[in-house]
Amino acid sequence: KNKYMDLNTISLLIFGLTVLIIGGNLLLKAAVSISLRFGIPKLLIGMTVVSLATSAPELIVSIKSALKGSPDLAISNVLGSNIANLGLVLGITILFSPISISKSVYKKEWPIMMFSAIYFFLVILDGAISKIEGGILVCFLVMTISALIKLRDKSEVELENSNEDSLLKSLFILFFGGLFLFYGSEWFIDGAIMLANSFGISERIIGITVVSVGTSIPELVT
């Protein structure tokens, strides 16, 4: 019976993750297509649409985990995804091809990343993150993106304009991408919680390993 339950749990986890990844890719494709169609600068698309779309699985999974009463899963997914972005996404990418680092990375982006990490550390010292502290993080994100767009040389971020989809088709893809994200995240979270309960592992450990690596796959592919 336990083996049967474990098999069902793993199947639900894998199926949910697959649907989640497909949804993230559809959302990315549609968002870029619509942005290009409306003449939004490619620089802006690269720094906002692409980065936010590939983070949609983490966002949806964390929100749903919190709403389902699993805050450990939500916060560990955020932490684990940041670790996976450096260790998994960047590490595997470099194995395929070495990356040249421009000076702007450690002059602009790196200090911002460190400031975000330190701010996060400070707000969790009291054992909770308030809505005000969360709002400050969102405001910081908006200000950071705005500042980087103004400071960055426009030649640094360029996307190939392969937009051949009509607006209607792009909207359909966007709709189905959102639908896949919604249901995929639902199944993926249920599978993760069942896996934690089945093996007697805390949701925090499952979130920082299985869930965070799974939701980081769109970044890896991109």
Side-chain angles (χ1 to χ4, degrees), residues 18 44 52 172:
T18 303
L44 187 59
L52 294 176
F172 269 115

Side-chain angles (χ1 to χ4, degrees), residues 61-214:
V61 166
S62 290
I63 290 174
K64 285 198 170 184
S65 297
L67 293 175
K68 280 176 173 281
S70 300
D72 274 354
L73 197 61
I75 198 71
S76 61
N77 177 41
V78 173
L79 290 172
S81 293
N82 279 278
I83 295 169
N85 279 337
L86 289 173
L88 177 72
V89 178
L90 184 61
I92 290 180
T93 302
I94 292 172
L95 289 178
F96 280 96
S97 176
I99 297 175
S100 298
I101 306 297
S102 64
K103 290 183 179 180
S104 68
V105 171
Y106 53 84
K107 285 185 177 180
K108 300 173 189 175
E109 287 89 345
W110 185 82
I112 293 170
M113 184 176 73
M114 291 304 297
F115 175 82
S116 301
I118 293 169
Y119 173 79
F120 175 78
F121 174 74
L122 293 176
V123 300
I124 64 171
L125 287 177
D126 60 355
I129 304 175
S130 68
K131 290 183 178 180
I132 294 175
E133 290 166 338
I136 292 172
L137 277 172
V138 175
C139 291
F140 180 63
L141 169 68
V142 174
M143 290 188 296
T144 298
I145 291 175
S146 300
L148 287 175
I149 289 171
K150 289 179 181 178
L151 292 171
R152 188 181 284 271
D153 178 9
K154 290 188 176 183
S155 65
E156 288 187 36
V157 177
E158 193 69 14
L159 291 175
E160 182 184 350
N161 188 352
S162 58
N163 177 43
E164 297 177 355
D165 296 334
S166 66
L167 180 59
L168 185 61
K169 182 178 178 182
S170 296
L171 290 173
F172 269 115
I173 294 173
L174 187 68
F175 171 76
F176 281 108
L179 207 63
F180 274 50
L181 277 173
F182 180 85
Y183 286 106
S185 62
E186 190 83 13
W187 297 325
F188 187 54
I189 294 167
D190 287 344
I193 293 173
M194 288 166 61
L195 186 67
N197 294 332
S198 178
F199 288 96
I201 305 170
S202 69
E203 290 181 5
R204 181 175 59 86
I205 299 299
I206 291 293
I208 211 165
T209 53
V210 177
V211 176
S212 62
V213 169

Side-chain angles (χ1 to χ4, degrees), residues 15-67:
F15 182 69
L17 177 60
T18 303
V19 174
L20 192 66
I21 292 169
I22 293 172
N25 287 335
L26 289 175
L27 184 71
L28 175 61
K29 175 180 171 61
V32 172
S33 178
I34 292 171
S35 300
L36 290 172
R37 183 166 291 281
F38 281 97
I40 298 175
K42 294 177 182 179
L43 169 70
L44 187 59
I45 297 171
M47 299 202 66
T48 56
V49 176
V50 174
S51 59
L52 294 176
T54 55
S55 295
E58 285 98 334
L59 177 64
I60 300 297
V61 166
S62 290
I63 290 174
K64 285 198 170 184
S65 297
L67 293 175

